[in-house]
Amino acid sequence: AKKWINIRKSYGNFYKVPRNQTKLTIMLEKLGMNYDGRPHSGLDDSKNIARIAIRMLQDGCELRVNERMHAGQLMTVSSSAPLEGAPVPQMPRYRN
């Protein structure tokens, strides 16, 4: 992966909370959710992060790529950069 969404950074920026309030368990707690599964299990952590992302989208957040690797260095991507990704899905057209 050369670019990704750092959910902790997105969460902190969207909800205006300091970095020390963006640990997985704290983010879930502040959103009124319990941790599902075993802590530090890659699969369970991923599922909980997805739950946070879904809630952020429901709350109006536009999740964007905010970090990338360039020449082996971690780079922050500007929030004013254009949105990346696939085009918005369209409703299928049916023939009559």
Side-chain angles (χ1 to χ4, degrees):
K2 297 209 180 213
K3 43 190 164 176
W4 59 89
I5 297 170
N6 179 330
I7 202 76
R8 290 180 69 186
K9 188 179 286 186
S10 295
Y11 178 96
N13 290 336
F14 183 69
Y15 294 113
K16 307 289 189 245
V17 298
R19 178 101 171 133
N20 67 355
Q21 295 283 313
T22 61
K23 291 184 173 74
L24 182 56
T25 53
I26 294 172
M27 291 188 292
L28 288 164
E29 179 184 313
K30 296 291 183 186
L31 294 173
M33 300 178 195
N34 292 319
Y35 186 93
D36 287 344
R38 294 173 298 138
H40 307 297
S41 159
L43 181 59
D44 291 338
D45 284 353
S46 297
K47 289 178 181 179
N48 284 290
I49 290 167
R51 291 172 55 223
I52 291 168
I54 290 166
R55 173 62 182 276
M56 291 174 66
L57 291 168
Q58 290 170 339
D59 287 348
C61 181
E62 288 186 33
L63 293 173
R64 302 172 159 224
V65 169
N66 57 15
E67 290 185 347
R68 68 183 178 99
M69 289 297 284
H70 180 71
Q73 297 292 317
L74 176 64
M75 310 284 286
T76 295
V77 176
S78 168
S79 61
S80 62
L83 287 174
E84 297 184 31
V88 175
Q90 301 294 318
M91 292 297 291
R93 296 182 188 262
Y94 296 100
R95 295 183 192 190
N96 292 337

